[in-house]
Amino acid sequence: MTGAPKLEPALFTQAATLIAKAAESDGGFHPPSIADFFPPEVLFAGTAFALTRINLIQILATLALITLFVLGTRRMKLVPGRFQSVIEMGLDFVRNGIAHDLLGRKDGDRFLPLLTTIFFMILFMNLTGIVPFLNIAGTGLIAIPLMLAVISYFTFIYAGLKKSPKKFVRNSFFPSGIPTAIKPMVAILEFISTFIVRPVTLTLRLQMNMIVGHLMLVLFFSATWFFFFTAGGFWSLLGAGTLAFGFAFTLFEILVAVLQAYIFAILTAVYIQLAIAEEH
């Protein structure tokens, strides 16, 4: 009918109004907030050793990673069992798919411990974002991404300088084939790209993906709780929808957790490869 109001926009407008009112009156809906990443201190509060909930999650993820590899590698068998096979598949993925593929066997084995640590550390801390009762990624705070980015940064500089200081500096500032007239401008751009942008993008890419993932999951599941247990009635249909989206986004977050670990590790390998290359 001409002039008749459209049901869907009106329905979602009404739902948004209902959620907003509930949020104002503490009616059960608690929207996601960046404050989730700045929780209060829960252990040793007020001291130099104070720990927040996220710090405890980071420690838990580290202990889980160490335990997994200790148990999986302490009794290696020629014919591996299922658990050992899973561990070996993960290690082979980093060795063959990242280190050897980009750096060759010699240099790949040389930097393999670093690349393996980066990949699995990020993976386990990312996955805490979808673990029940943890529900936040250990990489959501800048400390872990920044620390790993700094390690990656100094590693590729060290690799380049050790291989050939002259070639590393030349390749970093003056790519081959650049006309002499524009070399000063290119040198400035290459300096910014290589020594400033790389660590910044490594840090922010990882952290921001984990922050956004957490906020989206909290939004979906908080809205589900609100529609089911506060709004009730017809609004439960919307709750079923947000619940479905929440589960779908949880699966997507698992993919993002793996991809971010892979991207960080492979970019570290790429930067090392560029640093030790004869020419860019």
Side-chain angles (χ1 to χ4, degrees), residues 160-199:
L161 291 175
K162 183 167 184 177
K163 178 72 179 286
S164 175
K166 277 188 179 180
K167 289 180 180 177
F168 174 68
V169 173
R170 184 190 66 203
N171 292 341
S172 296
F173 289 91
F174 306 107
S176 59
I178 298 298
T180 304
I182 63 172
K183 276 189 175 182
M185 182 177 67
V186 170
I188 294 172
L189 294 176
E190 287 294 317
F191 172 78
I192 295 173
S193 173
T194 302
F195 298 101
I196 298 177
V197 173
R198 283 183 184 178

Side-chain angles (χ1 to χ4, degrees), residues 29 216-226 242-250:
F29 178 73
M216 292 298 292
L217 287 176
V218 172
L219 176 63
F220 285 132
F221 289 117
S222 294
T224 298
W225 181 271
F226 169 76
T242 55
L243 181 62
F245 275 113
F247 279 118
F249 202 81
T250 298

Side-chain angles (χ1 to χ4, degrees), residues 5 36-37 46 53 61 79 84 91 100 167 198 219 223 228 236:
D36 293 347
F37 292 90
R53 176 170 167 264
V79 179
Q84 182 182 328
L91 294 174
H100 288 176
K167 289 180 180 177
R198 283 183 184 178
L219 176 63
F228 278 152
S236 296

